[in-house]
């Protein structure tokens, strides 16, 4: 078992604030349970910090219970919905109607097997003070949720899903190991905005009913602790901003505020936009931290509330667990600084390191994200290559993000159907305008372009040609020893992949499948898997494992539940779902705690 404390910024802050945490814990142990409910000294029944998806869900639950809520965020109104708005809208369901339509046989037992094999919980699951104790409990509760009421609950709010279920994170090759045994990635019809919409509507209706008050441009800098309980927040009022959604906003301070409530719910997100924090908490098991990364989240995903909540006594666990993608493209038309877009690949592109050496199993497109990340960092370079064909990218490439999928986001059936006979327009634009694409008619031309793009001569034509030709020989029979070709044939046995995600088996060097395309893949920051440890009610725990009175957390800041519901790795489609489930749980618990 590895050391669970990664060196870096979060750890250093922990050392600086341990005395405050101990004092807060001691005060809590001595304090009687506070009398909940708004008092004359309170500004509301509850304060929610962060207006992303988890914050909207928690606020909607509080308002539904009749509580008065202040919803604070440092960003302007344009960014309501946070990171979720930009997402592809993928959700993890178990034994859904969509799966059954596609002939997929799934079960709660199979999903739990896959979750445990993927998460690898190993930090005190059976120890109430262990880092994985509550994470494991949250994971079991979440799989139950995904197998039971999750889909019906969301469908009742008007959400719908694309009928073809995607097969993400196909795993490391063993039944009880990492990965999804069956397709479980359900794309929401309308993508990320459609996931946000029903909860935004609920919150805006509560604003009309004077139950919820937005406090945009309110940056929380401190949680107020009184007698061991969190009783409010203090911070800075930032100057008004007309920054568009996702664009960086001003940090100029124009005032201060102090607000009080018997409960505070922290839903402020992770650290993905702060590369220094990412590197500071980077685990040795993933190799050396990349010197160069691109950013998959807006600049406001800065992780500030982790340290602020820790200073109030909250316990951060599993800070070294994170989820970053290996198939990042530099956005030719960026919205936020260093804006990157992820390719969601099908199984057919050949994957090479920066020197032109082909990766082996499980480093195959769509199989094992973090294993491949370790292989890339182990190569001594911060990037890798897909070598593929026009036939493959036309069928297999998708781009993550609501703005990169106008057909799904706009719910435009005719645009969606056009994928049958043409390469999606966003893919073609990246191929033409993006700096990471090399297109050529012949392999020598392709290699020359690859070396020119990176400014070195790391790719050897003869070596690359030998590896591609060896792979191409393996497709002459319906059986093979090449694991990737086996995977392609396995994918084609699933109707969903045959219809929309896997090109027919062909030789990479077949001129009729061309032109040849090489894609430089950058490491793309995205998710924080660890965070504030919470019990099954969403209450933040202190170092002694005791709930801090008045303090709740949900979403990415809480590791999507329990301080790390995913363990070491994700099955995908579980980040939005983690925000929905933990936001609902924390909101309902906070509402119950403030019942008069």
């Amino acid at each position: 078992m590895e050391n669970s404390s990664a060196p870096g910024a979060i750890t250093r802050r922990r050392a600086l604030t341990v005395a405050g945490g101990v004092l807060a814990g001691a005060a809590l142990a001595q304090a009687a349970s506070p009398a909940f409910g708004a008092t004359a000294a309170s500004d509301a029944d509850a304060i929610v910090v962060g207006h992303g998806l988890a914050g909207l869900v928690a606020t909607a639950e509080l308002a539904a219970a009749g509580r008065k809520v202040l919803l604070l965020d440092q960003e302007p109104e344009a960014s309501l919905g946070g990171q979720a708005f930009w997402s592809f809208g993928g959700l993890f369901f178990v034994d859904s109607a969509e799966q059954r339509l596609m002939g997929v046989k799934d079960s709660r037992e199979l999903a739990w097997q896959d979750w445990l094999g993927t998460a690898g919980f190993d930090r005190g699951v059976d120890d109430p003070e262990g880092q994985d104790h509550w994470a494991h409990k949250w994971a079991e509760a979440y799989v139950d949720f995904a197998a039971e009421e999750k889909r019906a609950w969301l469908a009742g709010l008007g959400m719908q899903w694309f009928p073809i279920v995607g097969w993400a994170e196909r795993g490391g090759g063993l039944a009880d190991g990492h990965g999804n045994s069956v397709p479980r990635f359900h794309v929401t019809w309308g993508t990320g905005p459609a996931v946000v919409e029903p909860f935004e509507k609920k919150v805006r209706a509560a604003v009309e009913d004077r139950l919820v008050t937005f406090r945009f441009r309110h940056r929380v800098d401190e949680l107020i602790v009184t007698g061991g309980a969190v009783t409010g927040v203090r911070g800075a009022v930032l100057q008004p901003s007309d920054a568009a959604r996702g664009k960086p906003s001003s940090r100029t301070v124009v005032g201060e505020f102090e607000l009080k409530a018997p409960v505070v719910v922290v839903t402020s997100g992770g650290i993905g936009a702060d590369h220094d924090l990412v590197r500071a908490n980077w685990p040795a098991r993933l190799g050396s931290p990349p010197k160069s990364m691109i950013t998959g989240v807006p600049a406001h995903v800065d992780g500030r509330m982790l340290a602020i909540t820790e200073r109030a006594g909250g316990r951060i666990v599993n800070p070294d667990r994170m989820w970053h993608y290996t198939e990042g493209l530099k956005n030719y038309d960026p919205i936020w600084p260093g804006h990157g877009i992820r390719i969601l690949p099908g199984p057919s592109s050949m994957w090479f390191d920066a020197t032109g050496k082909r990766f082996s199993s499980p480093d195959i497109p769509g199989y094992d994200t973090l294993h491949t990340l370790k292989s890339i960092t182990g190569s001594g370079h911060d990037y890798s290559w897909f070598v593929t064909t026009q036939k493959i990218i036309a069928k297999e490439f998708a781009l993550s993000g609501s703005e990169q999928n106008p057909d799904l986001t706009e719910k435009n059936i005719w645009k969606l159907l056009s994928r049958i006979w043409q390469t999606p327009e966003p893919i073609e634009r990246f191929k033409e305008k993006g700096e990471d694409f090399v297109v050529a008619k012949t392999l020598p031309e392709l290699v020359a372009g690859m070396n020119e793009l990176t400014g070195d001569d790391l790719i050897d034509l003869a070596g690359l040609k030998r590896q591609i030709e060896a792979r191409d020989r393996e497709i002459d029979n319906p059986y093979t020893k090449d694991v990737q070709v086996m995977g392609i044939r396995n994918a084609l046995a699933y109707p969903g992949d045959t219809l929309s995600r896997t090109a027919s088996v062909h030789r990479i060097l077949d001129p009729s499948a061309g032109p040849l395309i090489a894609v430089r893949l950058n490491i793309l920051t995205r998710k924080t898997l660890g965070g504030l440890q919470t019990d099954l009610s969403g209450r933040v725990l202190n170092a002694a494992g005791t709930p801090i009175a008045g303090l709740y957390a949900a979403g990415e800041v809480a590791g999507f539940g329990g301080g790390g519901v995913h363990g070491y790795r994700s099955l995908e489609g579980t980040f939005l779902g983690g925000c929905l489930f933990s936001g609902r749980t924390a909101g309902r618990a906070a509402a119950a705690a403030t019942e008069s």
Side-chain angles (χ1 to χ4, degrees):
M1 175 175 155
E2 295 187 48
N3 185 346
S4 61
S5 295
I10 290 177
T11 305
R12 288 198 297 272
R13 283 197 292 268
R14 183 178 295 108
L16 290 171
T17 61
V18 66
V22 170
L23 290 173
L28 179 58
Q30 296 172 4
S33 298
F36 285 113
T39 68
S42 297
D43 297 289
D45 297 306
I47 294 169
V48 177
V49 181
H51 67 200
L53 181 59
L56 288 173
V57 175
T59 301
E61 292 292 339
L62 282 157
R67 306 296 181 266
K68 292 189 175 181
V69 186
L70 296 175
L71 179 55
L72 280 60
D73 201 282
Q74 64 183 350
E75 293 305 301
E77 185 172 2
S79 289
L80 192 67
Q83 203 175 325
F85 180 91
W86 299 104
S87 74
F88 196 34
L91 291 172
F92 177 95
F93 296 137
V94 178
D95 192 25
S96 69
E98 290 78 16
Q99 287 175 299
R100 293 192 293 273
L101 177 66
M102 299 306 300
V104 175
K105 296 179 180 180
D106 199 6
S107 68
R108 188 266 177 203
E109 292 74 22
L110 183 61
W112 184 232
Q113 172 182 298
D114 288 347
W115 196 289
L116 287 178
T118 297
F121 295 120
D122 61 2
R123 295 174 176 174
V125 169
D126 298 321
D127 178 0
E129 296 183 8
Q131 294 190 78
D132 278 339
H133 180 73
W134 289 104
H136 183 275
K137 290 180 179 295
W138 269 92
E140 191 166 16
Y142 181 72
V143 171
D144 288 344
F145 175 62
E148 296 169 2
E149 66 172 309
K150 179 182 178 183
R151 187 187 180 284
W153 174 54
L154 296 174
L157 297 174
M159 290 173 59
Q160 297 177 302
W161 297 275
F162 186 56
I164 297 177
V165 184
W167 196 354
E169 286 295 296
R170 303 184 189 210
L174 295 177
D176 60 353
H178 167 60
N180 285 294
S181 297
V182 297
R184 297 191 178 105
F185 190 82
H186 297 67
V187 178
T188 303
W189 187 233
T191 66
V195 178
V196 172
E197 182 182 17
F199 301 100
E200 180 179 346
K201 283 184 176 179
K202 284 177 175 288
V203 171
R204 289 195 182 278
V207 171
E208 292 294 321
D209 293 338
R210 299 187 178 182
L211 285 170
V212 174
T213 302
F214 287 124
R215 294 290 178 92
F216 303 112
R217 305 297 284 156
H218 279 58
R219 185 188 70 198
V220 173
D221 297 324
E222 180 186 358
L223 297 178
I224 300 171
V225 180
T226 307
V230 170
T231 57
V233 297
R234 294 190 185 97
V237 179
L238 306 179
Q239 73 177 176
S241 172
D242 59 0
R245 181 185 293 275
K247 292 285 188 181
S249 61
S250 166
R251 290 295 179 260
T252 300
V253 175
V254 297
E256 298 177 346
F257 69 89
E258 179 174 311
L259 298 167
K260 294 184 178 180
V263 297
V264 174
V265 185
V266 178
T267 62
S268 54
I271 67 173
D274 188 330
H275 289 195
D276 290 337
L277 267 182
V278 169
R279 293 188 183 96
N281 292 282
W282 191 273
R285 66 179 178 276
L286 292 181
S288 299
K291 295 178 181 177
S292 175
M293 296 183 285
I294 55 179
T295 309
V297 295
H300 60 75
V301 185
D302 55 18
R304 292 181 67 256
M305 285 304 299
L306 281 163
I308 291 167
T309 308
E310 189 175 44
R311 285 197 289 273
R315 183 190 186 197
I316 295 173
V317 295
N318 303 311
D320 61 320
R321 293 181 183 170
M322 51 188 72
W323 188 257
H324 305 304
Y325 289 113
T326 51
E327 313 99 332
L329 302 175
K330 296 179 181 178
N331 195 342
Y332 65 88
D333 186 20
I335 297 171
W336 52 79
H339 189 176
I341 298 293
R342 184 204 173 197
I343 297 173
L344 284 73
S348 301
S349 297
M350 296 185 71
W351 205 337
F352 299 89
D353 71 14
T355 68
K357 179 183 177 182
R358 188 184 179 192
F359 289 125
S360 60
S361 178
D363 303 330
I364 298 169
Y367 275 69
D368 192 331
T369 294
L370 291 195
H371 191 283
T372 309
L373 177 59
K374 179 181 179 181
S375 296
I376 293 170
T377 59
S379 74
H381 300 273
D382 295 340
Y383 67 94
S384 60
W385 291 99
F386 275 169
V387 173
T388 189
T389 66
Q390 182 67 36
K391 183 175 181 178
I392 290 172
I393 74 162
K395 187 74 172 284
E396 298 192 5
F397 275 29
L399 299 175
S400 182
S402 54
E403 82 283 13
Q404 300 298 330
N405 294 275
D407 48 358
L408 290 165
T409 302
E410 297 168 9
K411 303 181 181 181
N412 188 315
I413 293 175
W414 296 112
K415 279 187 180 180
L416 182 63
L417 290 174
S418 73
R419 294 191 184 209
I420 296 172
W421 62 81
Q422 66 181 13
T423 306
E425 185 180 349
I427 298 290
E428 280 297 315
R429 284 202 301 266
F430 264 90
K431 191 181 82 172
E432 295 169 6
K433 300 180 180 181
E435 65 178 87
D436 295 310
F437 281 77
V438 178
V439 182
K441 291 182 178 180
T442 67
L443 190 60
E445 293 172 331
L446 190 76
V447 169
M450 294 165 74
N451 286 330
E452 182 181 0
L453 177 61
T454 59
D456 52 39
D457 293 313
L458 292 177
I459 307 296
D460 173 66
L461 172 59
L464 196 69
K465 183 171 186 269
R466 176 187 58 78
Q467 294 173 90
I468 295 174
E469 288 180 338
R471 177 267 185 203
D472 280 359
R473 293 187 190 101
E474 294 289 317
I475 67 168
D476 288 339
N477 296 290
Y479 44 85
T480 176
K481 72 175 184 180
D482 190 292
V483 173
Q484 184 175 9
V485 177
M486 291 181 197
I488 296 168
R489 297 195 188 282
N490 190 41
L492 290 171
Y494 167 50
D497 276 351
T498 300
L499 287 169
S500 68
R501 291 291 286 147
T502 305
S504 60
V505 182
H506 63 276
R507 293 173 180 263
I508 297 293
L509 296 180
D510 180 355
S512 68
L516 290 167
I517 300 166
V519 188
R520 180 178 59 185
L521 304 172
N522 306 276
I523 294 172
L524 177 73
T525 65
R526 187 61 66 88
K527 296 294 182 185
T528 310
L529 297 188
L532 298 169
Q533 191 172 42
T534 58
D535 67 10
L536 284 178
S537 295
R539 297 181 298 179
V540 177
L541 307 179
N542 64 16
T546 304
I548 299 172
L551 183 59
Y552 297 77
E556 191 173 351
V557 74
F560 302 94
V565 68
H566 297 93
Y568 287 93
R569 291 179 292 192
S570 166
L571 287 173
E572 290 284 27
T574 55
F575 300 126
L576 293 176
C579 290
L580 293 167
F581 185 52
S582 63
R584 189 180 80 156
T585 298
R588 290 181 178 181
T594 52
E595 189 171 4
S596 300

